[in-house]
Amino acid sequence: MTKPDLFNNPDEKLTSLGQLITGSIINETGQSAINQGADSVNSQPNYLRVTSHRASNKGLLDLKPYFANSPKAKHTKNGGWYLIVPIRRKTRDMSYQLYQQAKNIDISNKNMATSPINSLYSNRQTSDISLLNYQPKSNNLTRIANGNNGSTYVSFRTVSDKSNPASWILNRDTATSENMSKTLLSNLERLIKYRLSHLNE
């Protein structure tokens, strides 16, 4: 995975990183959904637009089309794209096990360090609908000294045109086999794959 330039110039980038992760990039992306990606949504077949509307009524939100439209997205030579997303992990939201592992990341001789954390996604949202579930490939967590004898914790995840269709879906736990029909489930799978295949348009 390509590391963000934060790791090349840590002292210079710490302040800007803190500003970036203080606000939730996911919420910011979701908020821009109305203004971005409207053309791609409107170009969908009608039954997929209906499926999208029904899924959104259940709280589901696929963030990949909006990440693709982000000005921070990088473009590849083959026409693809990728975006490295820093997600702040607040200590108050961590389980006891996760916090113990996080604070044991050694930064005694440097501003930051990264280590794999087994329990990083132990409380991840899940649905009883298998096609909506996804386990991130990396469980790395970065600990950053914040200058006040404390630490900031960030997990860096990469989203791209090659991302799994089930990745980056918010509120997946609101969708169950009981509140979604077989037809809606089938169309939802088609919708996710359609959007992923049209992210570059």
Side-chain angles (χ1 to χ4, degrees):
M1 183 180 89
T2 303
K3 292 184 178 179
D5 58 1
L6 161 72
F7 290 88
N8 297 325
N9 302 286
D11 293 331
E12 177 183 346
K13 299 297 182 181
L14 275 175
T15 300
S16 59
L17 173 67
Q19 293 172 345
L20 177 63
I21 62 181
T22 297
S24 168
I25 191 171
I26 293 180
N27 288 338
E28 181 179 305
T29 302
Q31 182 64 35
S32 68
I34 296 176
N35 298 319
Q36 296 182 4
D39 291 340
S40 62
V41 171
N42 290 334
S43 66
Q44 292 172 173
N46 185 61
Y47 81 97
L48 291 184
R49 287 200 298 272
V50 172
T51 300
S52 177
H53 178 70
R54 290 179 177 174
S56 65
N57 284 342
K58 297 184 183 299
L60 294 176
L61 176 63
D62 183 2
L63 293 178
K64 292 185 289 297
Y66 311 122
F67 281 132
N69 286 322
S70 168
K72 300 181 186 298
K74 306 296 184 182
H75 297 277
T76 63
K77 293 180 180 180
N78 63 1
W81 64 272
Y82 70 93
L83 178 67
I84 297 176
V85 183
I87 303 174
R88 183 171 181 175
R89 303 301 300 266
K90 297 181 179 179
T91 55
R92 67 171 179 264
D93 297 327
M94 293 181 181
S95 66
Y96 176 79
Q97 180 184 11
L98 174 54
Y99 178 64
Q100 294 304 310
Q101 292 177 327
K103 73 177 185 177
N104 283 332
I105 299 175
D106 185 12
I107 56 170
S108 57
N109 297 317
K110 46 196 169 184
N111 286 327
M112 68 179 69
T114 300
S115 177
I117 302 295
N118 295 332
S119 61
L120 187 59
Y121 297 109
S122 59
N123 294 321
R124 185 172 174 78
Q125 290 179 344
T126 59
S127 170
D128 65 355
I129 301 169
S130 60
L131 71 91
L132 292 178
N133 291 323
Y134 175 77
Q135 183 70 18
K137 295 179 180 179
S138 172
N139 63 349
N140 285 341
L141 184 67
T142 299
R143 180 182 180 184
I144 306 168
N146 62 19
N148 298 314
N149 294 323
S151 298
T152 297
Y153 299 94
V154 186
S155 56
F156 291 92
R157 287 183 58 192
T158 300
V159 57
S160 75
D161 59 304
K162 299 184 183 300
S163 290
N164 187 298
S167 64
W168 297 101
I169 295 177
L170 290 185
N171 304 320
R172 69 186 76 223
D173 57 331
T174 64
T176 69
S177 55
E178 292 183 356
N179 64 19
M180 300 186 74
S181 67
K182 291 183 179 180
T183 299
L184 180 56
L185 285 175
S186 178
N187 287 342
L188 181 61
E189 182 174 16
R190 294 189 182 98
L191 173 66
I192 293 173
K193 292 181 178 180
Y194 176 91
R195 285 187 173 177
L196 187 60
S197 67
H198 288 75
L199 288 180
N200 292 325
E201 296 183 356

